[in-house]
Every structure is written in C-alpha cells, then in structure tokens.
Amino acid sequence: MELESELRALAAEIEWPHTPAVRPELAPRPRLLRHRRSIALAVAVVAVALAAALAVPQSRGAILRFFGLGAVRVEFVERLPAAQEQPLSARLGPTISTAVARVLLGGPPLRPSSASAPVLHAQDRVVSLLFLHDGHPVLLSELRSRSGLLKKIVVPSTSVRWLRVGNDPAIWITGDRHVVVFPHAAPQLAGDVLVWQHRNLTLRLEGARLTLRDALTLAETLR
Amino acid sequence: MLRAQSGDVRAFEQLVEPHREIMFRVAYLIVRNATDAEDAAQDALVKAWRALGRFRRDAPLRPWLVTIAANEARNRRRGTGRRERLALRATVSPSGEAAPSPEELAVAAAERRRLLDGLEQLPDEQRLVLECRYLLSLSEEETAVALGIRRGTVKSRAARALERLREVHGARV
C-alpha cells in the first residue's frame, strides 16, 4: 500500500482528544452605524463614558469584554476592583419558607438531594442555601434569569470555561480570584464557581474546596 | 453570515459549529496539549467574532477559522511544556470484507503504531504538514494558510516528509 494511503487510513484510527464544547465568550457586536447622526451620538456617548471613567480615581480600568449567562454578567477587566474576603454565610439574608422562595423564583427552589433539608435564605431576590458537601460548606444561590442582578468581575488570568450541566449552558470560573457583586452589597472576593442556567433560573455554586467534578455532580443532582 | 456580521451571536455560533472540531484538532496538532488547544480554539472564536465584520461573505469560512486557530495555537506553543503523543484507538477498523482474525488485527495495530511512531520522529515542520494533509484531510491550500506557509512549500515539505517517513518507517513501503 502506498504510504499516503496508509497515512489516510491511519487518520481513522487516531484517538483524538474529545473536542470540548468551546463557545466564544462574546459581547454583542455593535451593529454598523450607517448615519452620521448615529455616529455623532455614539461619539458623544463614548466621550461621556470616558469622562466618567476618568473622573473616578479608583476605576478598575477598561472592561475588555463581557458576556451574559442568565442573570449573571461576566466582565473581563484589567484589574479587579477593591473587594473583601467574606465567609459564604456573609450575605445569606433572613430565613424564608419554601412558599416565599417559590414566589421569589417563580417556582420551587432546587435543593441538593444529598443534604438534609438545608434552610432557605433570601436577600434581594437571591435565594440561598448553605449546606455541607463532603464536610465542607457549599453555597447554592438561585435567582430568576431575567432579573440580571449578579455581576462577576474577572481578570484575563482567570479561567472562564463554557461547559454544560446536563443540557443547560454553564460556566466554570476558576484560577485567579474574581469579584462577585450582589445587588446592594459591597463587592466580595470569590473562589471557584459554577454558574448555570436552568429553565427560568440562574444558579451559582461556590465552595472553598469545590472541584469542577464535585460542582457538576452536585448541580446535576439538584432536585 | 449576514445576521452574524450584524451582531447576532446565535447566528455566529451556528456558523462556526461545523468547524469547531477541525479548529480544535489543528490547534491540538500544533500545541500537542488538549488544555492549550482548547484555550487556543476558544480565543480563536473570540477573535473571529471580532474580525467577522471584515470577513468577505463569499469566502470559505473554514480556512479562515482554521488559520485563526492555528495562529492562536502557535502563540501558545511552549518549548518546554508537556507534549502529548497522538494515540491510536483500542480497536483497529477492518479494511476488508471478511472479519479479520485476532492475529491480523494485532499485525494491523502494530503497523499503525509503527507508522505513527515514524510520524512522531519527523521534524515538527514536516510532521505538521503530513498531519494536516493526511490526518485532518486539509487541502494543500488550507494547510498552507493554517501553517502560514506557501502552497509550494506545503508540496515540497510534504514530499520531503514522505521521503523521510519511508526511511524511518522502513523499506517495506
């Protein structure tokens, strides 16, 4: 057999690494501005934005790019804003009943099947559950996707990977610390986090010792 | 394409979906590390999105995407990093109609292994040309743009690589 034919046959026998579910982290591309008036307006808006940014001395620098997943907006910036380290229980809010959680979320909250009936909390329409997984605390936050409340601020050295929880789109934020901004709360530092969208909900799992495998297993077993 | 160029993210994702695998595999052949290849493919998609406005609508999309992925991969290539070897599937596909005997399967697997080993021994520039042409079935033109070389160079490198592979692989072929 010709060497070329052997090489072609070899192609069918290669065990390629699995092609990951790579998705672009995209900000919406601005539509082309066709009219001078639009361009003039855009220039004015940019000028105002620039002036505003320059006027804030502790500005965190330019937003390099951003994208959204459900209620979460992830912004890539050159440097993180000032933020504090806080325990997972810092902003749980008051305890609530399942009925109240249903109203806030527009349906029943998801709960870990392994943990024994964790207490529900709510603050600013974010329903939270704190429970132990393998002896370590894990925080599950749930909110309606359309609320668009949560902001994640990351630096380029933080890894943000697209993946899936079952059929739901998800991101795993890992590596360098990032800042999470809950509504009406001071920015706080966060570690590795899984965020995904399930039906009308956006969910977020965080734990100091939570691995990606643990997070995915937990997420897929929520009921 | 028109929808993607006017800012429709979903339309862009649908456009690039058929090319994700080839982008990842080209990147993998260059960096030989699945994690770096994934990063390269990811960043390539972001760059493609940003540059989409300048893309000619009548031009083929695949070579353009492959080129961006290859460029990203080359930027990530680390001289001292862990280099993964290509692996073969556990089972060899039968080439004839009759079911091969276990002995024939073992011989075929050994032959494939020898050929792959020979490929791995080639200098990178020659190995990549053969891998793009024969393992990924890229055309000469696609190989040229992916590797950033002229089409004529693809031909001459491929010829030299085949010659060398014949020497490495043995007088049998």
Side-chain angles (χ1 to χ4, degrees), chain A residues 101-121:
Chain A
R102 288 182 73 101
V103 171
L104 290 173
L105 300 177
L110 292 177
R111 301 169 194 255
S113 54
S114 54
S116 54
V119 177
L120 294 164
H121 300 261

Side-chain angles (χ1 to χ4, degrees), chain A residues 26-40:
Chain A
L26 305 175
R29 290 176 73 248
R31 288 174 185 276
L32 291 173
L33 298 175
R34 297 181 189 281
H35 305 294
R36 285 185 179 180
R37 196 171 160 186
S38 305
I39 294 171

Side-chain angles (χ1 to χ4, degrees), chain A:
Chain A
M1 195 195 296
E2 288 291 322
L3 184 55
E4 290 94 324
S5 304
E6 284 200 40
L7 282 168
R8 287 193 185 95
L10 183 66
E13 311 297 341
I14 298 291
E15 184 84 76
W16 293 100
H18 173 68
T19 302
V22 173
R23 289 186 66 197
E25 300 156 359
L26 305 175
R29 290 176 73 248
R31 288 174 185 276
L32 291 173
L33 298 175
R34 297 181 189 281
H35 305 294
R36 285 185 179 180
R37 196 171 160 186
S38 305
I39 294 171
L41 181 63
V43 169
V45 169
V46 170
V48 170
L50 274 175
L54 292 171
V56 182
Q58 66 273 43
S59 170
R60 63 176 181 268
I63 296 174
L64 304 176
R65 63 182 194 264
F66 67 90
F67 66 93
L69 176 64
V72 174
R73 175 183 158 107
V74 180
E75 290 180 358
F76 288 79
V77 297
E78 289 163 341
R79 59 181 188 280
L80 292 178
Q84 289 185 332
E85 182 105 39
Q86 290 187 320
L88 291 176
S89 58
R91 59 166 318 280
L92 285 173
T95 58
I96 56 168
S97 65
T98 303
V100 172
R102 288 182 73 101
V103 171
L104 290 173
L105 300 177
L110 292 177
R111 301 169 194 255
S113 54
S114 54
S116 54
V119 177
L120 294 164
H121 300 261
Q123 180 124 315
D124 291 318
R125 305 185 77 79
V126 180
V127 174
S128 303
L129 302 83
L130 190 60
F131 56 95
L132 291 177
H133 176 71
D134 283 347
H136 301 292
V138 172
L139 177 67
L140 170 65
S141 308
E142 306 179 28
L143 63 164
R144 289 198 206 205
S145 290
R146 69 180 182 191
S147 59
L149 286 172
L150 215 57
K151 194 189 290 185
K152 297 274 188 187
I153 304 172
V154 303
V155 285
S157 54
T158 307
S159 166
V160 180
R161 299 176 67 172
W162 282 94
L163 23 100
R164 290 204 170 263
V165 173
N167 286 323
D168 299 329
I171 49 172
W172 172 245
I173 304 178
T174 186
D176 283 354
R177 308 291 298 273
H178 68 279
V179 168
V180 57
V181 186
F182 286 93
H184 310 118
Q188 63 185 72
L189 285 169
D192 295 354
V193 168
L194 180 70
V195 178
W196 74 106
Q197 194 174 4
H198 179 70
R199 293 182 184 156
N200 64 329
L201 293 182
T202 300
L203 300 106
R204 175 183 184 277
L205 264 178
E206 181 184 0
R209 304 206 175 196
L210 199 62
T211 64
L212 174 58
R213 178 176 299 204
D214 285 343
L216 287 173
T217 304
L218 261 175
E220 285 172 356
T221 53
L222 293 179
R223 295 289 177 267

Side-chain angles (χ1 to χ4, degrees), chain B residues 20-143:
Chain B
R20 277 196 308 113
E21 184 173 272
I22 194 73
M23 291 174 74
F24 173 73
R25 288 184 178 181
V26 166
Y28 179 75
L29 288 178
I30 293 171
V31 295
R32 282 303 184 88
N33 177 297
T35 306
D36 288 343
E38 182 179 347
D39 289 346
Q42 173 104 3
D43 285 353
L45 285 177
V46 173
K47 289 202 170 166
W49 169 250
R50 287 181 184 159
L52 196 64
R54 301 192 299 275
F55 181 74
R56 264 189 26 239
R57 277 176 215 157
D58 57 342
L61 189 61
R62 182 171 112 149
W64 185 62
L65 292 173
V66 165
T67 304
I68 299 174
N71 286 340
E72 285 299 309
R74 276 198 293 276
N75 291 339
R76 280 177 170 72
R77 188 155 50 179
R78 299 165 189 166
T80 55
R82 187 169 62 89
R83 187 175 182 272
E84 295 168 5
R85 288 173 61 90
L86 287 178
L88 289 173
R89 291 182 200 282
T91 55
V92 174
S93 307
S95 53
E97 288 182 4
S101 68
E103 291 78 13
E104 287 171 324
L105 282 177
V107 169
E111 285 299 315
R112 299 272 197 264
R113 182 75 261 162
R114 247 160 51 87
L115 184 56
L116 193 58
D117 287 345
L119 201 53
E120 295 280 4
Q121 289 174 38
L122 295 177
D124 272 3
E125 61 173 33
Q126 292 184 4
R127 173 184 63 80
L128 274 171
V129 166
L130 291 191
E131 287 176 340
C132 285
R133 292 285 286 119
Y134 296 105
L135 300 190
L136 296 182
S137 300
L138 296 189
S139 66
E140 282 180 352
E141 188 69 41
E142 287 175 322
T143 303

Side-chain angles (χ1 to χ4, degrees), chain B residues 141-158:
Chain B
E141 188 69 41
E142 287 175 322
T143 303
V145 291
L147 300 182
I149 55 180
R150 293 170 184 230
R151 193 169 170 178
T153 310
V154 171
K155 279 187 177 180
S156 57
R157 271 190 200 168

